[in-house]
Amino acid sequence: MLETLGVKVERIGLWTVIHLTGELDLCGRPVLTNAIDQVGLAPRPRVIVDMTEVWFMDSSGLESLLRSNRWILARGGRLVLLGLHHRVRKILDITGTFRAFEMVESLSDLPD
């Protein structure tokens, strides 16, 4: 399977930031799921998914984000999307899932 999504994980204060690069599609979905599964094991996880370098997302990528958000929320945590590309934002708008996520435009806007 061709991997179309790069991932890098770092800690910034209380937050774990998952930096994604490339396409969040069927091939990239396992990469995101694996990263979320690892960082989401902490009690009350605080996760930022940095999507500033994600220029394409399909329905399987969206489903993975929704699933990740539900899982993190169920653990008493927070999942925040950072820096959505206009194409990705459009998918959230069209599908009506935009309001399902907490979002920020830059790391300097990190919530408490």
Side-chain angles (χ1 to χ4, degrees):
M1 184 179 286
L2 178 65
E3 188 173 298
T4 59
L5 188 69
V7 65
K8 179 181 140 199
V9 179
E10 72 173 321
R11 291 283 297 181
I12 298 178
L14 298 173
W15 292 89
T16 300
V17 182
I18 300 173
H19 300 278
L20 301 179
T21 320
E23 299 179 4
L24 182 50
D25 57 10
L26 184 61
C27 294
R29 179 181 175 164
V31 175
L32 174 61
T33 300
N34 185 48
I36 291 287
D37 288 350
Q38 289 179 26
V39 301
L41 293 175
R44 299 181 51 151
R46 291 176 163 215
V47 180
I48 301 274
V49 179
D50 178 2
M51 298 188 55
T52 56
E53 297 294 322
V54 174
W55 59 85
F56 175 80
M57 180 174 72
D58 68 6
S59 60
S60 60
L62 175 58
E63 193 279 327
S64 184
L65 282 176
L66 289 166
R67 173 204 149 307
S68 297
N69 193 37
R70 285 190 304 269
W71 190 65
I72 295 292
L73 289 173
R75 298 187 51 74
R78 290 170 67 188
L79 184 139
V80 177
L81 301 181
L82 167 70
L84 296 178
H85 188 278
H86 72 274
R87 291 182 195 153
V88 174
R89 187 177 296 268
K90 185 174 182 177
I91 291 169
L92 296 176
D93 285 338
I94 290 170
T95 59
T97 56
F98 191 80
R99 286 181 241 141
F101 298 100
E102 220 180 313
M103 292 181 227
V104 294
E105 290 301 316
S106 73
L107 286 174
S108 63
D109 297 331
L110 281 175
D112 296 330

